[in-house]
Amino acid sequence: MSSNLPITPNLPNTSDLPNTKPAAWFTVLLWVLGLPGMLTLVGVVLVGTALGDRHGQLSRDDAYSLVPWLLLAAAFLVPWAICVNRRTKGKN
């Protein structure tokens, strides 16, 4: 092994940041976006499974009736994923 390698990886120094504690409002935002989005997505998957035939095929009308619910789940989960990404990077 080379002695030039650092012992620890180059992690950001959190002592320079003014506030390292996660913001409470951001945690609430994660819950408000994540919980309804996940429940809607799981509900759509379960209803789609229940409406399918024994081979897992959905009729066209049943599939079209689930599209608005998938869009609603996406409306919650896309901002939630952006917020989770910011939280894991330590920005909020």
Side-chain angles (χ1 to χ4, degrees):
M1 285 205 142
S2 174
S3 61
N4 296 345
L5 295 175
I7 295 173
T8 58
N10 293 331
L11 297 175
N13 188 1
T14 58
S15 63
D16 296 339
L17 299 175
N19 185 11
T20 58
K21 184 179 176 188
W25 67 269
F26 201 76
T27 304
V28 170
L29 181 65
L30 284 173
W31 278 100
V32 167
L33 291 173
L35 192 62
M38 292 291 184
L39 289 176
T40 305
L41 184 63
V42 168
V44 167
V45 169
L46 291 176
V47 168
T49 304
L51 291 176
D53 61 8
R54 61 184 175 157
H55 301 293
Q57 299 279 327
L58 278 176
S59 70
R60 183 179 300 241
D61 293 335
D62 290 340
Y64 283 146
S65 67
L66 293 178
V67 169
W69 292 103
L70 285 173
L71 292 175
L72 178 66
F76 281 107
L77 291 177
V78 169
W80 175 79
I82 293 169
C83 291
V84 167
N85 189 19
R86 288 182 59 87
R87 174 60 63 93
T88 56
K89 289 181 179 179
K91 294 182 181 178
N92 282 83

